[in-house]
Amino acid sequence: MSEQSNEMPPKYDPQSVEAGRYNEWLEDGLFKPSGDKKAHPYSIVIPPPNVTGKLHLGHAWDTTLQDMIIRQKRMQGFDTLWLPGMDHAGIATQAKVEAKLREQGISRYDLGREKFIEKVWEWKDEYANTIKTQWGKLGLSLDYSRERFTLDEGLSDAVKKVFVQLYNKGLIYRGEYIINWDPQARTALSDIEVIHKDDQGAFYHVKYKFADGETTLDGKDYIEIATTRPETMMGDTAVAVNPKDERYKDVIGKKVILPLADREIPIIGDQHADPAFGTGAVKITPAHDPNDFLVGNRHNLERINTMNEDATMNENAGKYEGMDRFEARKAMVKDLQDQDLMIAIDPIVHSVGHSERTGVQVEARLSTQWFVKMKPLAEQALKNQETDDKVDFVPDRFEKTFSQWMENIHDWVISRQLWWGHQIPAWYNKETGEIYVNEQPPKDIENWEQDKDVLDTWFSSALWPFSTMGWPNTDAPDFKRYFPTDTLVTGYDIIFFWVSRMIFQSLEFTGRRPFKHVLLHGLIRDEQGRKMSKSLGNGIDPMDVIDKYGADALRWFLSNGSTPGQDIRFTYTKMDAAWNFINKIWNASRYVIMNLGDMKQPKLPAESEWDLADRWILSRLNKLVAQVTEQFDKFNFGEAGRALYDFIWNDFCDWYIEMSKETLNGDDEQAKDNTRNVLAYVLDQTLRLLHPIMPFVTEKIWLTMPHVGDSLVVAKYPETHAEFANDQAEAQMANLIELIKAVRNIRAEANAPMSSEIDVLIKTDNKDLQHVFETNRNYIDRFVHPKALTIGADITAPKLAMTGIISDAEVYVPLAELVDLDEEAARLEKEIKKFESEVDRAKKKLSNERFVANAPADVVESERQKKADNEAKLQATKDRFAALKAEK
C-alpha cells in the first residue's frame, strides 16, 4: 500500500484523498482481529441500525466514536473485534413496507403472510446495502466477516432458547391485560414505545341518571361524570366513587342507566375515585383503561371491548358499530346533547399517548398477550451493580436513571401482532387448546397451530452482545474470546429500550454483564438547538456533509464537539472550521515532506544534538501523547481533540515549523539533517494520534512520507518516552515565545511593519534568561527582525520607546518617530489594570480554602507561580509608567 512520494497537491481535496481507500483496507483484511492470543482482547458490538432507511447524523456520531475507540485499541496492540450487524426492527420496518404497499393500493392482507414477508426481505436487502455503503463512506473499521442480522438463523436459535427457558422458569406468561394498542399497525406496544404529546381535547360532563327513578343527589336525578373519551362509554360497567367521600355514601350500591345504551350499571365504592378531582365520580370501563381494569378485577366487573383492532367500533357499540373511534365520539356527543344528557363541554389540552412508530393515537385495549415477569430480572440487574462485574455508565449519572427504571419496572409485553419478526415458539392444540412451548415444533405438527404473533424487536436485540458471538454455544470461539464486550456506545435516549434489557438478559443467560462500559452520548440538534425531525425539515444527511467536506472533517466535528452525555449542535460554520483544520494539517505535512529529500524513514538524532526547539517540541509531543491517551481512556474525546488541535496548530505549525525554516535555510548540513528527522518524527507520531479520528487523510499523508509498514490502521500507537520530558526546555521556549509575541505586539500597536527597522533592548538580570535569548538569537532575528538586539541587566529605557513586560524582563523598542508618549502611557495604564485583575483573580482563588485543600498540589502550585509572575509584571509595568511620566 506504499505511496511514498514528495508530491502533494497544494490544497486538501477530501474526495481524491478518500477515493478507494476503504476498499483497500477491506481487501487487506485490516479490520479483522489480529489472532494474537497473547494480545488482550477488546470488543465492541455495533448498536444495530434498523433496516428502515438511511443512516442519520446520530448514527454517524455513534459509529464514529466506536470507530475511534476500536482504531486506537487496534494500534495499541489489542486483539480487537468490532462486530457489525443490523436490526430487523419489527414494527418500524413493517410500517414502512405497509406504507409503500398502500401507495400501490394494496395491503399485507391482500398478499398474505408469506408473500408479504418476501416484500420485507426485499426492503431489508435494499437498505442493508445502503447502510453498508454509508458505513464505508464514514470509514468504519468493521469486521464484515462476522456481520449479523437479528433474524439470521443463529440469532433465531438464541431467541427461541431464551423464550423457552424464561417460560419454563415461569418468567414468561400469557394473560389477558390492558395493553397499549397501535390501531394502524394493529399490534401491542410496550410502555416505552408510546410517546406522549399534548393534544386538544375536552372534558365531557354527562348525566348518568339513577335507574330507580326515585334517587336524587343534591336534588338532581343523575350523577355527573366527566370523561375525555365518550367513545368508550358503551364499554362502561360501573360508576365508582370513593367510599370515604361523604357526598356519595348514600348512593353506593344504587344503579344508574348508561347513557345511549339503556343498560343499568352499579355505583361502586373504590379508592381509585379521587374525591378531590372533578366531581369525584368516575366511569369504569375495564376493557379500555388500565386503572379501570384493576378496579374491574377488584369488583368482578364484566369487560366489554367496544373496538375492533383498527379502532373502529364493534358490535358492542350498538348503533355506532363500524364507525371510526373519532367519528363515533362526535356522533355520541351529538346524541347526548339531543337527549339532554350533556351538561357541559370544557376544552382542554392534555397529554395523549401516540405510537412511536406510526404516530397514531394509542388505544388502551384488553388483549391476550405474552409478558415477561420483570421483577426477578430487574432485582438481579440491580444487585449486580453492587459487584465488581457491574456495568460502568459514562457519564455515571445515568446509572441512577437505569436504577430508577429498574426499581419501578412493569411487566414487559413482548408479543406483537405483526408478521415481520421472530414468530413466538408456542403452539396450540387444535382440539384441546393445550399450549406447547419449545425450541422445536411438535412432532405431530398437523394437530397444532403456531401462535401467529411475533416477538418485540427489543427481545432479540436484548441478546445482541452474546447471541452475535455464537451463544447459546458457550464453546463458540468468539464467545469465549470476546464476551463480555468492553464498550457499548449509544444514545442516552435508549437506556430503557435497549441498554437495560441487554443487561438483565445477559446476566440471566450468561451470568455476566454484557459490556464493561456503556458510553452514552446525547442528540445532535440543529443550529437553533432544536431536535432534528422530518416535520421541522431540519434534518442533515451525513452523506451530503461527506460529499462536501469529506468524512474526516465530519468525524473531527463529531469527536471534537463530544462531551459524554451532552447534546451537540450541528452548524456548517463548524464544518468549515473542521475542513480548515485538516487543510492546515495537509499544508504543514506538505512542507515537511517536501523538505525530507530521499529520507527512507524518520530517525531521531542523538539527544546531544537536539537544539532548544527540538527539545521543546519533543517534550510537548510527549505531553500530547499522554494527554490524548488519558482522555481517550476516559472517553473525553472533546478534550483529546482540543489537545491535538492546540499542539498541531500552535506548537507544531506556528512555532516549530517556522523555526525549522531558519535551520533548513542555513548552511549547517548536520543541523539540517537533524531538523528534517525531528520534523518527520513529530509528524509521524502526530498522524498516528490523529488516525483514529480522521483515518483517511492521515493514511494518505503517512503513506506519502517516509515510513515503515503498510498502513496506519495497524501501525503502533504512540507511547510516552521519559527522555523526551523536558520542563526546562518548555520553560525556556515559553520565555522565547513570550519575547517574540511582546515585540510583535509592539510593532502592531505602533503600526511598524516587519519590513521596518527597529532596535530591540531586553533588560533582565536573570542570567539563565539572558543565556536563552543569547543562544537563540537566530530565532529572535527570524521572528522579530531587529536592526540591533541588546540584552543585559544595565540597560536604561530609552525616552521614546514602547515597552513590553514579560517574565523576569522588560522589552524596549525605541520608535522615536512613531511613539506618542501619551498613547504609550495610556497603553501602560491598560496593562496595569490587566495585571491587577490577574493578580486579584489569583488571590481570590488561593484564598479559597476548598480550592487549596481539594485541588491537585501541582495545580495549586501553578496558580501560586502565576500570581508571583503577574505581581512581578505588574510592578515592572508600574515602574515603567512612573518613569515615562517623569520623562514627559
Side-chain angles (χ1 to χ4, degrees), residues 646-788:
D646 288 343
F647 175 83
I648 293 166
W649 198 288
N650 299 322
D651 296 345
F652 191 53
C653 293
D654 286 357
W655 292 104
Y656 188 75
I657 282 181
E658 290 304 312
M659 288 178 169
S660 75
K661 293 175 182 178
E662 180 68 21
T663 306
L664 295 177
N665 290 331
D667 299 323
D668 187 335
E669 293 301 323
Q670 183 59 52
K672 286 183 181 181
D673 190 55
N674 291 346
T675 297
R676 290 190 191 102
N677 276 287
V678 174
L679 277 168
Y681 178 82
V682 173
L683 178 59
D684 171 274
Q685 296 292 291
T686 305
L687 291 172
R688 292 171 192 244
L689 288 172
L690 277 170
H691 181 73
I693 306 174
M694 44 179 78
F696 291 102
V697 70
T698 51
E699 178 86 323
K700 175 66 176 178
I701 296 170
W702 191 76
L703 291 175
T704 304
M705 69 180 289
H707 64 277
V708 175
D710 294 326
S711 172
L712 267 182
V713 173
V714 289
K716 186 178 179 183
Y717 196 76
E719 297 175 345
T720 56
H721 299 277
E723 66 272 22
F724 287 2
N726 196 324
D727 290 341
Q728 182 186 43
E730 291 199 46
Q732 289 177 345
M733 183 59 78
N735 292 141
L736 198 57
I737 289 173
E738 189 180 23
L739 168 65
I740 292 166
K741 286 182 175 179
V743 178
R744 283 178 166 177
N745 288 339
I746 289 171
R747 276 189 176 275
E749 291 193 29
N751 275 328
M754 292 296 284
S755 57
S756 63
E757 293 187 339
I758 61 169
D759 293 334
V760 177
L761 296 86
I762 305 171
K763 180 181 180 179
T764 178
D765 55 8
N766 183 319
K767 298 295 184 184
D768 292 335
L769 197 56
Q770 286 184 24
H771 178 73
V772 170
F773 293 153
E774 289 288 359
T775 54
N776 290 282
R777 279 176 173 262
N778 57 329
Y779 293 134
I780 298 173
D781 287 343
R782 178 171 188 84
F783 285 98
V784 303
H785 296 179
K787 180 174 63 175

Side-chain angles (χ1 to χ4, degrees), residues 258-305:
L258 179 62
L260 307 179
D262 198 25
R263 171 163 54 87
E264 292 186 6
I265 58 175
I267 299 174
I268 60 173
D270 192 277
Q271 66 268 26
H272 170 61
D274 182 359
F277 184 75
T279 64
V282 292
K283 73 188 196 73
I284 301 300
T285 321
H288 289 282
D289 182 275
N291 293 314
D292 293 2
F293 177 80
L294 298 175
V295 175
N297 287 351
R298 289 195 288 269
H299 296 271
N300 199 27
L301 298 176
E302 185 182 2
R303 302 164 184 164
I304 303 174
N305 186 355

Side-chain angles (χ1 to χ4, degrees), residues 214-232:
E214 298 176 0
T215 305
T216 60
L217 187 66
D218 293 332
K220 299 169 183 174
D221 64 348
Y222 60 84
I223 188 168
E224 182 180 337
I225 301 295
T227 178
T228 59
R229 307 202 60 218
E231 64 271 23
T232 64

Side-chain angles (χ1 to χ4, degrees), residues 417-431:
Q417 290 63 55
L418 304 170
W419 291 350
W420 174 244
H422 294 277
Q423 196 167 350
I424 290 174
W427 288 260
Y428 307 99
N429 190 285
K430 293 176 182 178
E431 289 189 10

